[in-house]
């Protein structure tokens, strides 16, 4: 799973619990996109989560 290059947000793991209380493993994926970003005057492709995109922490190329 990809991690956000800005805030290091990645996947979370836990248990999926059924109505009869049986447990099985579950993975929650964070909303991470591959985006072209302006870095040091040039453009670079990196993984950024949508909350960092929305808050304006990165500038799209």
């Amino acid at each position: 799973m990809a991690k956000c290059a800005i805030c290091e947000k990645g996947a979370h793991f836990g248990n999926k619990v059924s109505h009869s209380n049986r447990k099985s493993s579950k993975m929650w994926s964070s909303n991470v996109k591959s985006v072209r970003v302006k870095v040091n005057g040039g453009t670079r492709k990196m993984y950024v989560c949508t909350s960092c995109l929305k808050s304006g922490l990165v500038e799209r190329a």
Side-chain angles (χ1 to χ4, degrees):
M1 240 0 259
K3 274 191 175 181
C4 177
I6 308 301
C7 66
E8 299 293 322
K9 189 187 285 185
H12 296 278
F13 300 93
N15 285 327
K16 178 170 40 176
V17 182
S18 70
H19 178 67
S20 63
N21 209 26
R22 291 174 62 112
K23 279 105 178 162
S24 58
S25 59
K26 179 170 173 47
M27 183 176 82
W28 285 271
S29 302
S30 57
N31 198 358
V32 178
K33 306 289 183 190
S34 179
V35 179
R36 288 176 63 219
V37 177
K38 286 184 183 175
V39 177
N40 297 332
T43 60
R44 189 174 160 200
K45 203 172 196 183
M46 58 175 55
Y47 290 108
V48 181
C49 68
T50 52
S51 57
C52 288
L53 284 172
K54 194 175 181 180
S55 64
L57 292 174
V58 293
E59 188 178 352
R60 284 190 155 183

